[in-house]
Amino acid sequence: MTHRWDPERYLVYADERGRPFFELLARVRAEQPALVVDLGCGPGGLTASLAERWPGARVVGVDASAEMIERAREQAGPVEFEVADLRTWLADATPASVDVLVSNATLQWVPGHLALMPALVEAVSPGGWFAFQVPGNFDEPSHTLRADLAAQEPYAACTSDVATPDAHDARTYLEVLAGLGCVVDAWETTYLHVLHGEDPVFAWVSGTGARPTLQALEAADPALRTRFEAEFKEQLRAAYPQSDAGQGVVLPFRRVFVVARTAESA
């Protein structure tokens, strides 16, 4: 089944999710781009900041989620938003037309996205910028506990084909993009998010990585989802206890950043 995103749930931790975007864009030194595209723009708040940084540019936000684009269009501003799958957009893109191509926490949802790198680079103008960020925390309990539990009965029959995110390390992206003629800056950062409230790690993952699993269970049997949630929350509480200082729950979150500049035209 195709899962649907919930902008309100996603924005619960908007500040924490937004920080990597700005740290990524700090390494993009474009001065007067004509066209800036945000692939996987979500609810659009971060995309709007691109128009503030480059007020002379045409800024376009693209997302496969109609719900996210609907929310994005509610905000005032000059940004254009469109509903499109990243791969469909890429297939239709005019080569060498985008001066700054950004993708924030999106490529991990595209299976085999490493094979898309040549087309993504081809969409960028000579001397232009391609910048993206993906999570690199898929070996953490927030993901492994969900996957292990979802593989058990009675859940497995409902979750065997749900979408699951995946990504590569910084060196892999660096080598692929350098092989395409780009000058590449790639790095990794592990954030220590201090979360508060009831079952905060569940609140975090239910808006992103765990959402397709939860939605599949809901579609099959709401009671099954309720049962899964209860077990998953219990395991997350054990894996992510309250900090000794009593200041909240610490969620380590590794992210992979890549900024590539395409070759200048001959």
Side-chain angles (χ1 to χ4, degrees):
M1 64 175 293
T2 301
H3 60 277
R4 300 176 63 186
W5 293 105
D6 181 347
E8 300 306 323
R9 170 66 74 170
Y10 181 83
L11 289 169
V12 168
Y13 292 108
D15 289 345
E16 290 85 352
R17 299 191 199 280
R19 180 178 168 186
F21 177 88
F22 293 108
E23 295 185 3
L24 175 72
L25 267 293
R27 304 283 188 101
V28 176
R29 297 187 296 277
E31 295 181 359
Q32 294 181 316
L35 176 59
V36 178
V37 176
D38 184 2
L39 291 179
C41 64
L46 298 176
T47 314
S49 72
L50 299 175
E52 295 173 0
R53 175 170 175 180
W54 293 297
R58 176 189 174 206
V59 178
V60 180
V62 179
D63 202 285
S65 168
E67 295 81 12
M68 287 293 196
I69 293 297
E70 181 180 2
R71 174 61 184 268
R73 287 173 174 163
E74 292 176 357
Q75 58 193 331
V79 181
E80 303 170 32
F81 292 103
E82 61 180 85
V83 179
D85 181 272
L86 182 153
R87 290 157 292 195
T88 302
W89 179 89
L90 195 56
D92 296 337
T94 302
S97 62
V98 184
D99 299 301
V100 178
L101 182 60
V102 180
S103 184
N104 184 60
T106 296
L107 289 174
Q108 74 274 10
W109 290 106
V110 182
H113 64 261
L114 210 60
L116 295 178
M117 292 296 154
L120 287 161
V121 170
E122 184 180 351
V124 179
S125 62
W129 300 81
F130 172 37
F132 65 91
Q133 174 269 128
V134 290
N137 64 333
F138 302 115
D139 292 331
E140 292 293 321
S142 55
H143 286 274
T144 60
L145 291 175
R146 178 207 54 77
D148 291 346
L149 184 59
Q152 300 173 19
E153 295 299 343
Y155 311 119
C158 306
T159 63
S160 59
D161 61 348
V162 299
T164 54
D166 195 18
H168 303 276
D169 61 13
R171 180 164 185 163
T172 297
Y173 292 119
L174 184 150
E175 291 177 347
V176 169
L177 289 166
L180 295 170
C182 297
V183 176
V184 186
D185 181 9
W187 71 98
E188 300 180 4
T189 297
T190 298
Y191 298 89
L192 297 179
H193 296 303
V194 180
L195 309 181
H196 302 277
E198 184 177 357
D199 293 309
V201 178
F202 175 81
W204 180 292
V205 299
S206 64
T208 51
R211 182 164 177 78
T213 298
L214 297 172
Q215 189 172 332
L217 292 168
E218 177 74 21
D221 182 355
L224 202 59
R225 170 174 173 158
T226 299
R227 176 178 168 182
F228 180 91
E229 282 193 7
E231 293 186 56
F232 190 27
K233 287 177 180 178
E234 182 178 2
Q235 293 181 13
L236 288 173
R237 285 194 292 268
Y240 300 95
Q242 287 283 331
S243 66
D244 292 339
Q247 296 179 342
V249 172
V250 177
L251 174 66
F253 202 119
R254 172 175 163 256
R255 292 186 183 270
V256 177
F257 298 80
V258 181
V259 174
R261 190 168 193 189
T262 61
E264 299 279 358
S265 57

